[in-house]
Amino acid sequence: MVVWTVANQKGGVGKTTSTVTIGGLLAQRGHKVLLVDTDPHASLTYYFGIDSEELDNSVFDIFIQGKELRQEQIFQALCPSTIDNLDILPATMALATLDRRLGSQGGMGLILKNALNLIADEYDYVLIDCPPVLGVLMVNALAACDRILMPVQTEALALKGLDRMIRTLQLMKRSQQKDYRYTIIPTMFDKRTKASLEAYKELKRLYSELVWSSVIPVDTKFRDASLQQLPPSVYAPKSRGVFSYNTLLTYLIQLDG
């Protein structure tokens, strides 16, 4: 089972879109895929038409169970999507209370990693959608993954958010003694604008080999797909955005198998 965490300490850079699109493409390639929503705003959950406030079980319950968690409790929280091979582990607003509940307790950074280990035989790939805030949820998502995917909007403010994210990883590397692998993904690229062109050039200058060699373009089909509650690869398989994500996925599989 390969685990990718989609993270950035800035909102609106394409984290949920990346999670849904890559997950949909993997499922269409025949892989068994789990998408995990760790954001209290539950954007990924709502994307698939799941009302987070009506759920009996969710990611929140997995964190509350902690070390007492059993495999069947995870299965109770899973929601199948309308897409073959694609399941959702949904979020609720209650996740926003976890830092207060668990932040002072020791060993709380590995709850999600241990939970995924319990169902490792069920899935080929897991993608974790993160909140844009460093706390218990992001720490768990980072500790659980094999690689961090960092979508970065190609504009100046997003580059500052990326800098914060890189410094966070450096701090966590020292505290957890884990060497994080990550790939920076330029998103919302518009070749017609000077801002996009300059931001992409700066990304390559600052982070060179850590930046995926291509870009995810601005594509209105992403918004249309979300309205239909379908992965873009299902709603608009021939769109330029999906083509770019397909190229990205092939690259990531070559890196991690």
Side-chain angles (χ1 to χ4, degrees), residues 40-243:
H41 290 105
S43 296
L44 175 66
T45 301
Y46 285 116
Y47 188 106
F48 286 94
I50 302 166
D51 188 340
S52 70
E53 301 312 308
E54 294 186 357
L55 295 170
D56 294 325
N57 298 281
S58 69
V59 169
F60 175 76
D61 300 282
I62 287 172
F63 278 96
I64 292 302
Q65 288 296 325
K67 296 176 182 177
E68 305 301 318
L69 182 69
R70 301 187 308 275
Q71 186 187 60
E72 58 265 30
Q73 292 171 309
I74 304 174
F75 289 143
Q76 289 170 2
L78 294 176
C79 295
S81 75
T82 58
I83 310 303
D84 289 344
N85 300 319
L86 187 64
D87 292 338
I88 316 299
L89 191 51
T92 65
M93 280 294 292
L95 287 172
T97 69
L98 283 181
D99 277 300
R100 186 177 73 248
R101 287 173 176 242
L102 305 178
S104 61
Q105 299 180 32
M108 292 298 104
L110 297 176
I111 292 176
L112 186 56
K113 180 182 178 71
N114 294 335
L116 293 178
N117 285 339
L118 291 175
I119 57 171
D121 293 339
E122 302 295 322
Y123 295 97
D124 302 313
Y125 287 89
V126 177
L127 283 95
I128 306 171
D129 192 17
C130 274
V133 179
L134 180 62
V136 167
L137 292 162
M138 183 181 284
V139 168
N140 267 268
L142 296 177
C145 73
D146 300 298
R147 178 174 300 275
I148 303 160
L149 309 184
M150 279 191 262
V152 180
Q153 184 179 357
T154 46
E155 56 96 14
L157 288 178
L159 298 190
K160 294 186 181 297
L162 175 62
D163 181 62
R164 288 196 300 272
M165 188 71 206
I166 298 296
R167 283 189 273 119
T168 293
L169 292 178
Q170 291 170 343
L171 289 171
M172 291 183 63
K173 177 181 177 179
R174 287 198 290 270
S175 65
Q176 296 185 351
Q177 297 182 334
K178 176 177 177 177
D179 193 10
Y180 293 96
R181 297 186 295 171
Y182 54 92
T183 298
I184 297 168
I185 304 165
T187 60
M188 305 180 192
F189 181 77
D190 188 344
K191 65 181 180 182
R192 300 168 298 179
T193 67
K194 184 178 179 181
S196 266
L197 292 169
E198 290 187 350
Y200 179 67
K201 182 179 178 180
E202 187 70 357
L203 262 182
K204 295 293 288 184
R205 184 185 73 80
L206 292 173
Y207 301 104
S208 58
E209 73 279 359
L210 298 173
V211 182
W212 176 48
S213 61
S214 190
V215 297
I216 304 297
V218 171
D219 191 338
T220 58
K221 294 297 184 182
F222 291 142
R223 188 181 301 113
D224 295 341
S226 69
L227 289 173
Q228 297 300 318
Q229 300 175 350
L230 290 171
S233 58
V234 174
Y235 175 79
K238 296 183 179 180
S239 65
R240 60 180 182 170
V242 170
F243 177 84

